[in-house]
Amino acid sequence: MACPRLIFLILIKFFILQTALSSSWQTLSGKPPAVIARGGFSGMFPDSSSQAYQLVNITTSPDVMLWCDLQLTKDGVGICFPNLNLDNGSDVMTIYPNYKERFSVDFTWKELSDVKLARGVLSRPNIFDDLSSILTIEEVAKLTASGLWLNIQDSAFYAQHNLSMRNSVLSLSRRLKVNFISSPEISFLKSMKNSVKPTVTKLIFKFLKQDHIEPFTNQSYGSLAKNLSYIRTFSSGILVPKSYIWPIDSALYLQPHTSLVTDAHKEGLQVFASEFANDFVIAYNYSYDPTAEYLSFIDNGNFSVDGFLSDFPVTPYRAINCFSHVDTKGAKKQAKITILSKNGASGDFPGCTDLAYERAASDGADILDCNVQMSKDKIPFCMSSIDLINSTNVIETSFRNLSSVVSEIQPRSGIYSFSLTMSQIQTLKRKSTISNPERDWGLFRNPRNNKAGKFLTLSEFLFLPNHYSSLLGILIEVENAAYLVEHQGISVVDAVLDELKRANNNQQNKTSARTILIQSTDKSVLMKFKEKNKMNHDELVYRVDKDIRDVEDSAVRDIKNFAGSIVIRKNSVFPYKGFFIFKKGPNVVSKLKSSGLRVYVETFSNEFVTQEYDFYEDPTLEIDCFVRDIQVDGIITDFPATTARYRKNQCYGKFDLPDTGELRTLGNPMILAPAEAPYPLLRISDVTEPPLPEVRSQTPASSPSKAEEKAIEVPFAFIAMAILVSFFISV
């Protein structure tokens, strides 16, 4: 017969599981997952600094717990510091240069009073270094209402220095509210098991990398993850690197999730996931969207972790409260914002391909865009650049000899669309990579889709609304029109109008029932469409192709005469220097909107280096600022899914917006970059242009010979060798 204690434990487990099943949350308790701020908001400020801890309360809520890596000084004072060695994360080397290594046990608390904290991750901002002092655990406790999570990483090390981490923690737990105590050392947790009340303080076993060895058992942490019933004998839960749950292969793609969370819950163990930060590279499956990553751990239909340990706690906090359990199809749109694609969903597929447009439409874009280019035989098609080198393998073909410098378009040489016929262009292959605007930062977009999709002619593009009922319309972008008319005898305006007329005459095409927008940086182009096709203001979009600080009233009036919408850059709204926003100047968007213009802003991307630090490197927070604070009408993005999810925000308008421009003022004045000259005004002289000329009659271009019709691919190695040979001959 089973002992009463065993029966009681079984009943408790059954009750916990039933509670979780009856809740919308698949956590062990059935309650929403917890958020633990690792060292405070350590993604922004130095880990364990007063600024980092205070920012947590400003951006989230008192429910978010503060994490403290507890270290002990020589005189037994408990301090919060992320590492056993003080060298990484402080200026201790400057204060005490004569030590080979500097550990907390080498100094008394008084001796550490002059040491200042610094960033531990060198890619993070340095302007907050050397401003904050090391804090005692008591000082950190005063900064939180929800309690603390103490992490004890090296109790054995302190024992070697005649300091008892166990006694220190017990003393602290009697004086402070300690919710969780974690450690990767089983011996330490076992020593604490009978000394804390599990209803007050939970013991958590922290897993290190799978191949690391746990000293008490002499087993790897990976093998211990398969023996959860043993873990349950001395802890209430586990803290694991996120890869234990969602493994990632060497190519940075997700593998199928493990059963760890489900298995742990069956044992009555809570599961907390760690190693989350907005500025870490994540699996390509998430499209650089940190909120999407968090949701995969709590809203996947199979399991939910019980909490997150994060350097950027605002992101998981909002993921849990605002974006989980949302019916993506049936949920009402809370934010009134138009989503315009940038070359389709070009963050996930090669821009201006059928797959990029398909993804953009399915991800929630309202308007698909086509950047029109012209072939030599005057066929309009969609491509992100007039220079074929940017989007195709043309430089590796026999067409490479068509390279030339066209100063009216760009200063460097290129191979331009108007130099090849459409049939020749169609022989080209996709360039070997998706457009990677943040390549210099080592951030690359979904490589598995590098060569996916095919380019569309404008005629094919105009039929896309027939396939996606959710689309409100399309946008056709026209650039370089004056050059094409004057130097190539090609009227891109006439070519676009012909295709629109042809599409409208086609009974199977419903494009005419949708909005059709024409966009250009040239007033003369928009005036030509207005003149030739009787297009009204609402169909014409003027794009400003430089950063501006304000717009002259006369320029606003002039734009209003020929366009109903205007596109400006993000920097024109929030000017920045060194990834920090300066105090906002005139509200350009408000001024433009008050004149009756709709304002679209570009380009919103997910990569963390594209957001200023004021937005905490979170693309969703950035969008929120532009929508609620600035009240833009539309967002132009290469990742439409992020904005589409934002529109169905369950707590829209309930959270405070970041106080943009304030972070920079908190920085070290000795490190801050000097102020730069402000962006220029947009003046009426910048807008005014001569009329677009008509095409002069020219002798028709001769048809290409069969030998010219198809590109001959030349191996890259051969090209490189030819260049080297020509170099040595010239020498």
Side-chain angles (χ1 to χ4, degrees):
M1 182 174 178
C3 67
R5 177 176 172 80
L6 180 59
I7 294 173
F8 175 74
L9 288 174
I10 293 172
L11 289 174
I12 287 292
K13 283 187 182 181
F14 178 77
F15 174 76
I16 291 172
L17 288 172
Q18 285 300 109
T19 302
L21 290 172
S22 64
S23 166
S24 59
W25 287 103
Q26 293 178 291
T27 55
L28 184 63
S29 66
K31 297 178 181 179
V35 177
I36 305 96
R38 193 184 72 84
F41 211 129
S42 55
M44 295 301 304
F45 291 103
D47 192 309
S48 306
S49 65
S50 58
Q51 290 174 314
Y53 286 124
Q54 288 166 353
L55 186 59
V56 175
N57 292 330
I58 294 171
T59 58
T60 57
S61 84
D63 296 333
V64 174
M65 276 179 288
L66 301 184
W67 167 284
C68 169
D69 284 295
L70 187 64
Q71 315 293 347
L72 298 178
T73 64
K74 183 189 293 186
D75 48 349
V77 176
I79 63 172
C80 295
F81 192 83
N83 310 302
L84 191 65
N85 190 323
L86 301 178
D87 290 356
N88 182 25
S90 79
D91 67 348
V92 69
M93 288 186 287
T94 302
I95 305 299
Y96 298 105
N98 296 325
Y99 286 73
K100 184 177 181 181
E101 287 185 292
R102 301 153 190 86
F103 298 94
S104 61
V105 294
D106 295 330
F107 307 96
T108 64
W109 168 237
K110 184 178 180 180
E111 290 172 327
L112 289 179
S113 60
D114 292 331
V115 174
K116 302 297 183 184
L117 297 171
R119 59 187 172 146
V121 179
L122 296 181
S123 60
R124 290 175 175 169
N126 68 338
I127 70 168
F128 306 119
D129 288 358
D130 307 333
L131 294 175
S132 300
S133 301
I134 294 174
L135 299 177
T136 65
I137 182 61
E138 288 85 359
E139 290 173 312
V140 174
K142 293 177 182 178
L143 300 175
T144 178
S146 62
L148 292 168
W149 183 309
L150 299 183
N151 182 54
I152 315 303
Q153 195 73 13
D154 302 284
S155 65
F157 172 83
Y158 290 102
Q160 294 171 5
H161 291 78
N162 299 317
L163 290 169
S164 173
M165 182 62 80
R166 176 183 179 277
N167 292 342
S168 296
V169 172
L170 288 176
S171 176
L172 288 170
S173 63
R174 295 188 190 104
R175 294 180 283 115
L176 307 174
K177 182 183 178 182
V178 179
N179 298 66
F180 294 89
I181 298 171
S182 62
S183 176
E185 298 174 332
I186 291 177
S187 58
F188 174 78
L189 294 175
K190 282 179 173 287
S191 73
M192 295 291 297
K193 188 176 187 312
N194 297 322
S195 302
V196 296
K197 295 180 180 180
T199 55
V200 177
T201 304
K202 294 183 178 180
L203 299 178
I204 305 296
F205 181 49
K206 181 185 178 185
F207 282 74
L208 303 182
K209 292 182 178 180
Q210 299 207 28
D211 58 349
H212 285 200
I213 302 299
E214 196 284 321
F216 180 78
T217 61
N218 201 32
Q219 295 183 45
S220 70
Y221 286 93
S223 63
L224 286 170
K226 300 173 184 177
N227 192 1
L228 296 174
S229 58
Y230 170 65
I231 304 299
R232 185 69 181 88
T233 63
F234 57 85
S235 72
S236 300
I238 58 176
L239 172 64
V240 298
K242 59 187 179 182
S243 60
Y244 274 69
I245 301 169
W246 278 104
I248 298 177
D249 64 20
S250 59
L252 288 182
Y253 284 95
L254 286 178
Q255 298 299 291
H257 66 76
T258 68
S259 61
L260 179 65
V261 177
T262 304
D263 294 342
H265 283 175
K266 288 178 181 177
E267 292 291 338
L269 289 166
Q270 287 186 295
V271 182
F272 300 91
S274 65
E275 299 187 352
F276 289 90
N278 293 1
D279 57 353
F280 290 172
V281 174
I282 57 179
Y284 290 119
N285 308 67
Y286 301 125
S287 300
Y288 287 101
D289 183 352
T291 297
E293 181 182 33
Y294 284 113
L295 290 175
S296 74
F297 284 81
I298 61 174
D299 200 15
N300 55 59
N302 296 308
F303 63 85
S304 171
V305 297
D306 299 280
F308 295 106
L309 177 62
S310 174
D311 293 14
F312 292 80
V314 65
T315 304
Y317 183 76
R318 293 198 179 195
I320 292 165
N321 291 281
C322 305
F323 300 111
S324 61
H325 302 152
V326 175
D327 179 2
T328 54
K329 293 184 178 179
K332 182 181 178 181
K333 295 176 182 177
Q334 302 297 323
K336 294 181 180 179
I337 187 73
T338 301
I339 303 173
L340 300 88
S341 71
K342 182 70 172 182
N343 302 318
S346 54
D348 292 304
F349 287 94
C352 298
T353 60
D354 54 343
L355 295 180
Y357 291 128
E358 179 182 328
R359 172 61 66 86
S362 62
D363 280 351
D366 299 308
I367 295 175
L368 299 183
D369 68 308
C370 170
N371 193 347
V372 173
Q373 312 301 339
M374 297 297 297
S375 66
K376 186 175 182 179
D377 46 351
K378 303 181 181 180
I379 297 175
F381 63 100
C382 304
M383 187 173 284
S384 58
S385 172
I386 192 172
D387 184 356
L388 298 175
I389 293 175
N390 295 330
S391 302
T392 73
N393 71 331
V394 66
I395 196 66
E396 299 172 14
T397 72
S398 56
F399 296 131
R400 68 186 181 281
N401 61 350
L402 297 177
S403 175
S404 63
V405 176
V406 179
S407 58
E408 295 90 340
I409 296 176
Q410 62 184 18
R412 68 177 189 275
S413 63
I415 301 175
Y416 299 99
S417 64
F418 51 77
S419 300
L420 281 75
T421 64
M422 195 65 218
S423 59
Q424 290 172 333
I425 292 170
Q426 288 172 338
T427 66
L428 302 177
K429 295 180 181 179
R430 293 293 313 155
K431 196 172 181 179
S432 59
T433 58
I434 295 176
S435 172
N436 292 294
E438 309 309 326
R439 175 190 293 269
D440 291 345
W441 294 92
L443 301 178
F444 297 89
R445 292 177 171 178
N446 197 343
R448 284 185 180 171
N449 293 339
N450 278 343
K451 298 182 180 180
K454 70 183 186 75
F455 292 125
L456 298 183
T457 63
L458 178 59
S459 175
E460 293 170 321
F461 174 81
L462 293 176
F463 275 81
L464 288 177
N466 295 350
H467 304 298
Y468 309 105
S469 59
S470 61
L471 289 176
L472 300 180
I474 56 176
L475 179 145
I476 299 171
E477 184 174 0
V478 176
E479 300 296 344
N480 304 303
Y483 172 83
L484 290 171
V485 167
E486 295 175 5
H487 299 279
Q488 301 299 325
I490 298 173
S491 173
V492 61
V493 172
D494 288 341
V496 169
L497 290 175
D498 288 344
E499 291 296 347
L500 288 173
K501 183 178 180 180
R502 194 174 295 116
N504 288 336
N505 290 337
N506 191 315
Q507 296 299 316
Q508 295 180 345
N509 197 350
K510 302 175 185 177
T511 303
S512 58
R514 309 288 176 88
T515 298
I516 298 176
L517 302 176
I518 304 294
Q519 175 183 300
S520 182
T521 56
D522 299 322
K523 171 184 175 180
S524 59
V525 170
L526 300 179
M527 292 296 290
K528 183 68 71 173
F529 275 99
K530 187 175 181 181
E531 168 194 330
K532 288 198 169 190
N533 203 42
K534 309 299 181 186
M535 300 186 81
N536 61 47
H537 286 43
D538 289 341
E539 297 171 302
L540 301 174
V541 182
Y542 180 66
R543 177 173 172 263
V544 181
D545 60 353
K546 64 180 180 180
D547 296 327
I548 58 173
R549 73 174 187 274
D550 202 354
V551 186
E552 281 186 343
D553 291 341
S554 56
V556 175
R557 288 193 295 270
D558 190 23
I559 295 168
K560 180 62 181 170
N561 284 332
F562 63 85
S565 304
I566 186 169
V567 174
I568 60 175
R569 295 179 179 179
K570 290 194 301 182
N571 298 346
S572 299
V573 181
F574 289 108
Y576 77 95
K577 168 67 176 178
F579 291 99
F580 286 92
I581 294 172
F582 282 85
K583 280 291 188 180
K584 286 185 296 184
N587 190 331
V588 178
V589 174
S590 178
K591 185 173 187 177
L592 293 168
K593 288 185 61 146
S594 65
S595 73
L597 288 165
R598 288 187 302 277
V599 181
Y600 304 138
V601 179
E602 67 175 4
T603 300
F604 287 77
S605 299
N606 284 353
E607 289 93 342
F608 56 85
V609 295
T610 67
Q611 294 102 39
E612 283 69 52
Y613 287 123
D614 300 67
F615 302 125
Y616 312 130
E617 301 194 283
D618 183 333
T620 301
L621 277 173
E622 180 185 43
I623 292 166
D624 194 30
C625 277
F626 276 86
V627 174
R628 287 204 291 135
D629 185 13
I630 307 302
Q631 298 182 4
V632 301
D633 296 292
I635 278 177
I636 300 171
T637 175
D638 36 22
F639 292 94
T642 304
T643 307
R645 186 190 59 229
Y646 165 78
R647 284 198 300 199
K648 297 182 178 180
N649 191 338
Q650 293 183 101
C651 45
Y652 178 73
K654 294 181 181 179
F655 290 115
D656 291 336
L657 294 165
D659 196 356
T660 51
E662 285 296 321
L663 276 179
R664 189 177 185 277
T665 65
L666 302 176
N668 189 333
M670 302 298 292
I671 302 176
L672 283 171
E676 290 186 343
Y679 298 140
L681 283 169
L682 183 67
R683 304 181 185 276
I684 191 169
S685 57
D686 298 319
V687 179
T688 304
E689 293 178 342
L692 193 67
E694 295 290 343
V695 178
R696 299 176 184 175
S697 58
Q698 293 186 349
T699 305
S702 58
S703 301
S705 66
K706 291 183 178 180
E708 295 173 321
E709 186 65 29
K710 187 170 183 178
I712 301 172
E713 285 193 50
V714 181
F716 182 77
F718 180 83
I719 297 173
M721 180 61 71
I723 294 172
L724 288 172
V725 169
S726 63
F727 172 77
F728 284 113
I729 290 175
S730 64
V731 174

